[in-house]
Amino acid sequence: MSKAYWVATYRSVTNPDALAAYAKLSGPAIMAAGGRILARGLPALVYEEGLQQRTVLIEFDSVEHAQAAHDSPAYQEAMALLSGGVERDIRIVEGL
């Protein structure tokens, strides 16, 4: 079984308070589901057509674990706190 990586990029943050409230619940929800937060913040360097966007990288034991974390009631509760305060892209990519 390959590891999986959850990659979230934030196109915009229009409500920093909503993002802070989300962060208080999302981190524990993700870790409780077996996720390991490897990186988060703005890129140190951006090449080619890359964008200077907040990025979060989380490792899971499998795609199924990553999906279960995203779909869990605890994470869905955290997402509800965003209330349109961010625009982001979340991808789950299977490791090699």
Side-chain angles (χ1 to χ4, degrees):
M1 187 179 320
S2 296
K3 291 190 179 199
Y5 298 89
W6 171 333
V7 182
T9 57
Y10 288 70
R11 292 183 187 112
S12 69
V13 177
T14 56
N15 186 341
D17 293 335
L19 180 57
Y22 158 83
K24 286 182 183 178
L25 293 184
S26 65
I30 289 167
M31 289 186 281
R36 294 168 295 283
I37 300 170
L38 301 179
R40 73 171 162 228
L42 291 173
L45 296 169
V46 177
Y47 290 104
E48 299 179 30
E49 299 299 318
L51 300 173
Q52 188 69 13
Q53 297 175 328
R54 177 179 173 75
T55 304
V56 180
L57 176 64
I58 305 166
E59 181 182 63
F60 288 90
D61 289 336
S62 68
V63 169
E64 293 77 17
H65 283 99
Q67 182 178 10
H70 181 275
D71 297 345
S72 72
Y75 185 72
Q76 292 300 309
E77 179 182 352
M79 279 186 42
L81 296 174
L82 289 175
S83 304
V86 304
E87 182 182 337
R88 65 184 180 163
D89 173 8
I90 295 177
R91 300 164 190 230
I92 296 173
V93 181
E94 189 169 15
L96 301 177

